[in-house]
Amino acid sequence: MKASLDDIYLFMLTVRHGGISVAAKAHSLQRSKISRRIQQLEKDLGCQLLIRTTRQIELTENGRLFYQYINQPLSEVDQAVNLVKSQQQAFSGVLKMAIPAAFISSSVFLEILDRYTEQFPDVTLDIIHRYESIDLKRENIDLQLLPNIVDVINENYVQQTLLSSANRLYCSPKYLESYSLPTTMEALYQHPILTSRYNSTLLPERMNVRLVSEDFGLINRLTESGRGIAILPVVLFEDKVASGDLIPVLPETFEIDIVMTLVYPSRRFIPVKTRAMIELLREQFSSN
């Protein structure tokens, strides 16, 4: 569907006046009409242009790009429409993801990145480390992975459970050269514990926590070198257990469950490159 020039004009007025209400008042128009027509324009383009709040509006990255082009002679408006539409439909450009540092170095996540870059070589992946929930629209980030113990900053964002991750205790053969394997929780309290920030908030107070890190790779390396007993996600370290590099500790007694959630701004406006990553994440985690 071709975008209406009238709708584009109303969008331009809204941006110039800094809000829908101000634009409506300045041009003797109904606020509801402007809002409705901008929504239609977003639908026609297949992407969100404005972030609406009670007092003002902000432009999304697509909105800024679109306004930059339409704020030109009318002969260039069609080019702006086609450009924004093509960006939504192309396997190119940048895909930005916010991921907890603890998961960045995991073999499961690295496999996902490998598969994505192989399938879509023209997409640049921009991975940032974030522990807290962020406003994806304002920071122009496409996806975020968060554990369920972190509240999502915007309740209107789409939230989809990827997997429930059991976290258990592990030590290494080297650790057992100096310490005996604890067989009760009471005995466990005497051992140094290495854990992630997420898990640290859920531990009993008596735990002897010696290291808190967002990097599971670091925790694993310290565990294998015999520095302590680690709390690690089962799904990420099954291969280490199978190879004998990690030894389960109190497997029938201790377990922490953390649900990983995939967060993205909208179901309606999802570029194909983002949708492909969402589907890959679902497929990968559902098979583990």
Side-chain angles (χ1 to χ4, degrees), residues 6 10 36 67 72 106 120 124-125 163 199 217 228:
D6 288 338
L10 291 176
R36 186 172 64 253
Y67 182 73
Q72 303 290 335
S106 70
F120 312 111
T124 300
L125 291 175
L163 80 163
N199 286 327

Side-chain angles (χ1 to χ4, degrees), residues 22-206:
V22 180
K25 184 176 181 181
H27 295 273
S28 302
L29 298 170
Q30 292 182 346
R31 185 188 185 285
S32 59
K33 177 185 176 181
I34 296 179
S35 179
R36 186 172 64 253
R37 296 318 307 169
I38 291 177
Q39 287 178 11
Q40 182 60 48
L41 176 62
E42 291 176 324
K43 183 178 179 181
D44 292 340
L45 294 177
C47 64
Q48 188 165 0
L49 300 173
L50 300 176
I51 301 170
R52 298 159 178 82
T53 64
T54 53
R55 295 185 177 180
Q56 60 183 4
I57 55 96
E58 296 179 29
L59 290 170
T60 64
E61 187 64 23
N62 280 324
R64 283 191 290 272
L65 177 67
F66 190 55
Y67 182 73
Q68 175 185 339
Y69 276 88
I70 65 172
N71 198 27
Q72 303 290 335
L74 285 179
S75 61
E76 299 185 13
V77 170
D78 274 346
Q79 294 179 32
V81 171
N82 293 332
L83 175 64
V84 174
K85 277 188 172 181
S86 65
Q87 284 199 335
Q88 290 298 103
Q89 299 166 1
F91 284 106
S92 62
V94 178
L95 177 66
K96 297 185 71 173
M97 301 175 65
I99 309 291
F103 292 89
I104 292 291
S105 59
S106 70
S107 59
V108 174
F109 189 68
L110 290 177
E111 183 179 343
I112 291 171
L113 297 186
D114 245 2
R115 290 177 60 188
Y116 189 91
T117 53
E118 183 179 354
Q119 292 180 49
F120 312 111
D122 294 330
V123 178
T124 300
L125 291 175
D126 186 352
I127 311 294
I128 62 173
H129 299 181
R130 287 297 182 90
Y131 169 81
E132 76 287 355
S133 175
I134 55 181
D135 194 325
L136 301 177
K137 291 179 181 178
R138 286 189 172 83
E139 298 201 30
N140 191 34
I141 294 173
D142 301 289
L143 302 169
Q144 181 169 28
L145 272 178
L146 282 175
N148 63 324
I149 60 174
V150 177
D151 292 330
V152 176
I153 194 170
N154 188 329
E155 62 182 17
N156 293 320
Y157 284 169
V158 180
Q159 301 175 46
Q160 295 186 348
T161 299
L162 285 183
L163 80 163
S164 177
S165 174
N167 292 258
R168 295 177 184 161
L169 296 163
Y170 300 96
C171 68
S172 67
K174 186 173 181 61
Y175 184 77
L176 294 181
E177 293 175 5
S178 303
Y179 301 92
S180 59
L181 190 70
T183 56
T184 66
M185 285 297 296
E186 192 65 32
L188 180 66
Y189 294 145
Q190 308 307 313
H191 292 258
I193 300 297
L194 317 175
T195 184
S196 69
R197 191 178 307 279
Y198 301 126
N199 286 327
S200 68
T201 63
L202 304 173
L203 295 178
E205 290 185 4
R206 294 178 60 191

Side-chain angles (χ1 to χ4, degrees), residues 183-245:
T183 56
T184 66
M185 285 297 296
E186 192 65 32
L188 180 66
Y189 294 145
Q190 308 307 313
H191 292 258
I193 300 297
L194 317 175
T195 184
S196 69
R197 191 178 307 279
Y198 301 126
N199 286 327
S200 68
T201 63
L202 304 173
L203 295 178
E205 290 185 4
R206 294 178 60 191
M207 280 285 196
N208 180 22
V209 177
R210 300 294 296 276
L211 173 79
V212 176
S213 173
E214 294 182 20
D215 185 348
F216 281 142
L218 171 63
I219 296 173
N220 175 61
R221 288 192 294 273
L222 292 174
T223 305
E224 290 188 3
S225 66
R227 300 300 179 86
I229 295 177
I231 304 173
L232 295 168
V234 174
V235 68
L236 301 184
F237 291 92
E238 288 175 317
D239 56 337
K240 293 285 187 179
V241 176
S243 66
D245 294 329

